[in-house]
Amino acid sequence: MTSDIGFQAALEEARKGAAEGGVPIGAALVSADGRILGRGHNMRIQKGSAIIHAEISALDNAGRLPASEYKGATMYTTLSPCDMCTGACLLYKVMRVVIGENKTFVGGEEYLKSRGVELEVLDNTECKELMAKFIREKPSEW
């Protein structure tokens, strides 16, 4: 799974966020047929935003799409989605969420499952290391 195009795009976005000095969380929204619809990374620090989390950034970068584009889509995210991002996944009827890691933070996973969303947690080492480094170097930003 870690070679999956969606996960690789999310991981690239997390690295990009880290390189910009931001929270190293990335996401990618992938259609049922395997096309990347949108990708993005957390921009809370870079833009001084309370709401530009990775999943929101990926949805925003996908642009306004017809509902049919979201049908069967997968959201890949390097960290367990917070309540806001969980809600966005539900709003757009994302049917599957693939999470890089959930040791640093556990978001709305149980709620997603209760609403019929398929979850997969990869327990990816690089995702955990990116977050650990960020928290160690910028604890006040976490």
Side-chain angles (χ1 to χ4, degrees):
M1 173 57 73
T2 56
S3 64
D4 184 287
I5 188 172
F7 179 70
Q8 285 305 311
L11 193 51
E12 287 170 13
E13 290 292 332
R15 292 180 193 129
K16 192 181 299 184
E20 294 170 357
V23 184
I25 304 169
L29 180 67
V30 177
S31 68
D33 65 3
R35 291 175 294 118
I36 294 179
L37 300 173
R39 55 190 283 170
H41 55 278
N42 186 297
M43 297 287 287
R44 287 186 323 121
I45 293 171
Q46 299 92 315
K47 298 219 178 204
S49 171
I51 62 168
I52 305 178
H53 291 192
E55 299 88 345
I56 302 302
S57 180
L59 285 162
D60 188 45
N61 289 331
R64 187 163 185 213
L65 301 172
S68 60
E69 286 288 335
Y70 300 103
K71 186 176 174 87
T74 298
M75 178 65 78
Y76 291 85
T77 180
T78 59
L79 186 66
S80 183
C82 73
D83 288 343
M84 176 180 67
C85 296
T86 292
C89 287
L90 292 172
L91 178 68
Y92 287 96
K93 297 180 176 36
V94 170
M95 294 307 300
R96 184 169 168 251
V97 176
V98 177
I99 299 166
E101 71 106 339
N102 65 356
K103 301 295 186 242
T104 304
F105 174 81
V106 177
E109 294 178 27
E110 290 305 316
Y111 188 56
L112 286 167
K113 285 193 254 185
S114 77
R115 299 287 301 270
V117 175
E118 177 189 342
L119 284 185
E120 182 173 353
V121 179
L122 302 177
D123 196 32
N124 180 270
T125 300
E126 185 176 356
C127 292
K128 289 186 278 191
E129 289 172 352
L130 282 166
M131 288 304 300
K133 181 176 190 277
F134 176 79
I135 292 168
R136 187 174 54 253
E137 293 177 357
K138 298 182 180 186
S140 64
E141 296 290 354
W142 177 241

